[in-house]
Amino acid sequence: MRNYWSLLPAVLVIVGLILVYAVPTIINPQWTSSIMALFRSAPLPADATPEEARRAAGVLGPQQLRSRRMLAISMVVGALAIVGFNVSLNREAVGCYKAARAFGAIDGPDTKDPCYEMIYGTFLGDGTGMAEEKSPQPLQYYQLVKGSRPKYLKWIQNAPKYDEANLLVPAGGKCVSDLRVEQSDAEIKIYLDSDVPCPPDSNISLTPIKLKKPLGDRKIVTVGGKEMTEVNPDMDSWFTVLKKLATGG
């Protein structure tokens, strides 16, 4: 998985340097102006006017005080935006990775960009059709969409629309075209119409299924009437990400 946290030390150095200047300037712009004046090496001309002498000493006027304070506030906002952007990238990547892993994906080349390659909405097939093979293969996981849809769906390729899915069915990218979903009054049966098991894969294709009627008491089963496992992966909240960042968790 692409490690955006590796950028964080450089980001923190940049932010730290910004804050060293910006925070004192917000409190009192005159402080930083006077300190910077100490490092000026150009001598003051003997015939300097009082205004030139004040500028050389770093003395600021009312308008300069306001403008420097506004500049410092803008720099702090920019620093927070840089940190927020880095945290956001990691939140999305980790969320997509966790979802793909929860659905059975293994680590592989696709983990480099999880939201783009490791998990995505199905491009081919929608689960309709009847079984043709005599020995269909089972599937293990599903996710019910209840209320608000999982946040990780916002970041993946070809994500199912909100009103498209009551049920998300994951399958390996190489096997998803064999997915079959049969809905009856007694149960919902999900399986792969293939005579060989789906090999382990580092990417997962999510097929959205619109239930013909509410699930109710119906069970979601696979080959042999075995109940499937419901999983509910989603992205960590911003608070959780910031807490992990602060505690090293």
mmCIF file of all heavy atoms in Angstrom, residues 2 9 51 66 83 86 115 144 146 179 187 205 214 247:
data_model
loop_
_atom_site.group_PDB
_atom_site.id
_atom_site.type_symbol
_atom_site.label_atom_id
_atom_site.label_comp_id
_atom_site.label_asym_id
_atom_site.label_seq_id
_atom_site.Cartn_x
_atom_site.Cartn_y
_atom_site.Cartn_z
ATOM 1 N N ARG A 2 0.482 2.218 -0.786
ATOM 2 C CA ARG A 2 1.239 3.459 -0.856
ATOM 3 C C ARG A 2 1.244 4.126 0.522
ATOM 4 O O ARG A 2 0.192 4.366 1.111
ATOM 5 C CB ARG A 2 0.617 4.384 -1.899
ATOM 6 C CG ARG A 2 1.555 5.444 -2.415
ATOM 7 C CD ARG A 2 0.873 6.277 -3.467
ATOM 8 N NE ARG A 2 0.683 5.541 -4.706
ATOM 9 C CZ ARG A 2 1.602 5.415 -5.653
ATOM 10 N NH1 ARG A 2 2.787 5.940 -5.476
ATOM 11 N NH2 ARG A 2 1.332 4.760 -6.766
ATOM 12 N N PRO A 9 6.927 13.260 8.188
ATOM 13 C CA PRO A 9 8.044 13.995 8.803
ATOM 14 C C PRO A 9 8.382 15.286 8.065
ATOM 15 O O PRO A 9 8.586 16.331 8.694
ATOM 16 C CB PRO A 9 9.203 12.988 8.736
ATOM 17 C CG PRO A 9 8.527 11.659 8.760
ATOM 18 C CD PRO A 9 7.275 11.839 7.961
ATOM 19 N N GLU A 51 11.664 58.037 9.403
ATOM 20 C CA GLU A 51 10.878 56.909 8.878
ATOM 21 C C GLU A 51 11.799 55.758 8.483
ATOM 22 O O GLU A 51 11.519 54.589 8.759
ATOM 23 C CB GLU A 51 10.052 57.362 7.669
ATOM 24 C CG GLU A 51 9.230 56.263 7.010
ATOM 25 C CD GLU A 51 8.179 55.690 7.932
ATOM 26 O OE1 GLU A 51 7.750 56.389 8.885
ATOM 27 O OE2 GLU A 51 7.794 54.518 7.734
ATOM 28 N N ARG A 66 -1.483 44.941 10.798
ATOM 29 C CA ARG A 66 -2.655 44.183 10.357
ATOM 30 C C ARG A 66 -2.307 43.232 9.222
ATOM 31 O O ARG A 66 -2.725 42.067 9.223
ATOM 32 C CB ARG A 66 -3.762 45.147 9.914
ATOM 33 C CG ARG A 66 -4.479 45.855 11.056
ATOM 34 C CD ARG A 66 -5.767 46.513 10.565
ATOM 35 N NE ARG A 66 -5.487 47.532 9.568
ATOM 36 C CZ ARG A 66 -5.223 48.803 9.854
ATOM 37 N NH1 ARG A 66 -5.201 49.216 11.117
ATOM 38 N NH2 ARG A 66 -4.992 49.677 8.891
ATOM 39 N N VAL A 83 -1.428 19.345 6.555
ATOM 40 C CA VAL A 83 -1.562 18.174 7.436
ATOM 41 C C VAL A 83 -2.858 17.440 7.138
ATOM 42 O O VAL A 83 -2.896 16.206 7.031
ATOM 43 C CB VAL A 83 -1.510 18.607 8.912
ATOM 44 C CG1 VAL A 83 -1.805 17.416 9.819
ATOM 45 C CG2 VAL A 83 -0.152 19.189 9.250
ATOM 46 N N ASN A 86 -2.656 15.310 3.971
ATOM 47 C CA ASN A 86 -1.884 14.090 4.179
ATOM 48 C C ASN A 86 -2.695 13.050 4.955
ATOM 49 O O ASN A 86 -2.712 11.864 4.605
ATOM 50 C CB ASN A 86 -0.587 14.419 4.912
ATOM 51 C CG ASN A 86 0.342 13.232 5.036
ATOM 52 O OD1 ASN A 86 0.401 12.596 6.078
ATOM 53 N ND2 ASN A 86 1.054 12.925 3.968
ATOM 54 N N CYS A 115 -7.502 2.069 -3.338
ATOM 55 C CA CYS A 115 -8.775 2.629 -3.786
ATOM 56 C C CYS A 115 -8.933 2.574 -5.306
ATOM 57 O O CYS A 115 -10.036 2.757 -5.816
ATOM 58 C CB CYS A 115 -8.925 4.074 -3.318
ATOM 59 S SG CYS A 115 -9.114 4.260 -1.529
ATOM 60 N N LEU A 144 -24.405 -5.773 3.859
ATOM 61 C CA LEU A 144 -25.699 -5.136 3.701
ATOM 62 C C LEU A 144 -25.519 -3.621 3.782
ATOM 63 O O LEU A 144 -24.750 -3.123 4.605
ATOM 64 C CB LEU A 144 -26.669 -5.601 4.784
ATOM 65 C CG LEU A 144 -27.221 -7.022 4.654
ATOM 66 C CD1 LEU A 144 -28.056 -7.374 5.886
ATOM 67 C CD2 LEU A 144 -28.064 -7.175 3.384
ATOM 68 N N LYS A 146 -27.151 -0.497 4.941
ATOM 69 C CA LYS A 146 -28.242 -0.062 5.810
ATOM 70 C C LYS A 146 -28.065 1.424 6.100
ATOM 71 O O LYS A 146 -27.017 1.847 6.570
ATOM 72 C CB LYS A 146 -28.207 -0.835 7.131
ATOM 73 C CG LYS A 146 -28.192 -2.356 6.967
ATOM 74 C CD LYS A 146 -27.945 -3.028 8.320
ATOM 75 C CE LYS A 146 -27.807 -4.521 8.180
ATOM 76 N NZ LYS A 146 -27.470 -5.188 9.472
ATOM 77 N N LEU A 179 -20.383 -14.731 -10.979
ATOM 78 C CA LEU A 179 -21.241 -14.514 -9.829
ATOM 79 C C LEU A 179 -22.708 -14.710 -10.193
ATOM 80 O O LEU A 179 -23.179 -14.235 -11.230
ATOM 81 C CB LEU A 179 -21.043 -13.094 -9.290
ATOM 82 C CG LEU A 179 -21.944 -12.679 -8.122
ATOM 83 C CD1 LEU A 179 -21.580 -13.456 -6.860
ATOM 84 C CD2 LEU A 179 -21.850 -11.179 -7.876
ATOM 85 N N GLU A 187 -34.963 -17.470 0.785
ATOM 86 C CA GLU A 187 -33.555 -17.163 1.018
ATOM 87 C C GLU A 187 -32.969 -16.411 -0.160
ATOM 88 O O GLU A 187 -33.599 -16.285 -1.219
ATOM 89 C CB GLU A 187 -32.762 -18.456 1.249
ATOM 90 C CG GLU A 187 -32.764 -19.369 0.033
ATOM 91 C CD GLU A 187 -32.056 -20.694 0.253
ATOM 92 O OE1 GLU A 187 -31.843 -21.072 1.419
ATOM 93 O OE2 GLU A 187 -31.743 -21.357 -0.759
ATOM 94 N N SER A 205 -13.778 -7.315 -6.608
ATOM 95 C CA SER A 205 -14.811 -6.621 -7.353
ATOM 96 C C SER A 205 -16.112 -6.698 -6.563
ATOM 97 O O SER A 205 -16.555 -7.785 -6.175
ATOM 98 C CB SER A 205 -14.983 -7.272 -8.731
ATOM 99 O OG SER A 205 -15.964 -6.596 -9.479
ATOM 100 N N PRO A 214 -37.618 -6.368 0.824
ATOM 101 C CA PRO A 214 -36.770 -6.289 2.018
ATOM 102 C C PRO A 214 -36.291 -7.665 2.467
ATOM 103 O O PRO A 214 -36.995 -8.677 2.307
ATOM 104 C CB PRO A 214 -37.696 -5.650 3.059
ATOM 105 C CG PRO A 214 -38.672 -4.858 2.252
ATOM 106 C CD PRO A 214 -38.895 -5.645 0.992
ATOM 107 N N THR A 247 -0.990 9.221 18.906
ATOM 108 C CA THR A 247 -0.518 8.198 19.851
ATOM 109 C C THR A 247 0.413 7.185 19.210
ATOM 110 O O THR A 247 0.981 6.351 19.916
ATOM 111 C CB THR A 247 -1.710 7.459 20.470
ATOM 112 O OG1 THR A 247 -2.471 6.815 19.424
ATOM 113 C CG2 THR A 247 -2.617 8.430 21.222
#
